[in-house]
Amino acid sequence: MSRRRLQLDRSGPWIAVVGLFMVLWCSVSTGLFAPWWGVAIAFALLIPEVWLVATWARTHPRRTIVVPVVGLLLWAGLAWFGAVVWDWSP
């Protein structure tokens, strides 16, 4: 049986796009516990991530899968900071 390797040069940007949709879902869900300006910050963090994946899709396709992971960590940091420091509570 031949073993197929994951070809991130071809699939990396698509994996990143799916990951960005997950980060988008988290950003939308921020509206459940954050004020409007917290949701705006969550979406503002998403904009450079989309730009980076679009830019790296052709030049550095393997790097694109890191972008949604960092985006998820940024969103989690924002949610934690908002809950602890800015007292976001439902």
Side-chain angles (χ1 to χ4, degrees), residues 3-25:
R3 212 170 136 195
R4 294 190 62 165
R5 294 182 52 161
L6 188 61
Q7 296 178 354
L8 291 179
D9 290 335
R10 293 178 56 193
S11 60
W14 293 108
I15 295 169
V17 167
V18 170
L20 285 178
F21 274 113
M22 289 192 263
V23 177
L24 175 66
W25 180 262

Side-chain angles (χ1 to χ4, degrees), residues 28-50:
V28 169
S29 71
T30 305
L32 295 173
F33 60 88
W36 67 268
W37 53 271
V39 178
I41 293 172
F43 278 105
L45 290 173
L46 189 61
I47 293 170
E49 298 165 23
V50 171

Side-chain angles (χ1 to χ4, degrees), residues 47-64:
I47 293 170
E49 298 165 23
V50 171
W51 177 82
L52 205 56
V53 167
T55 304
W56 282 353
R58 290 194 185 268
T59 57
H60 305 288
R62 289 177 178 263
R63 291 184 194 173
T64 57

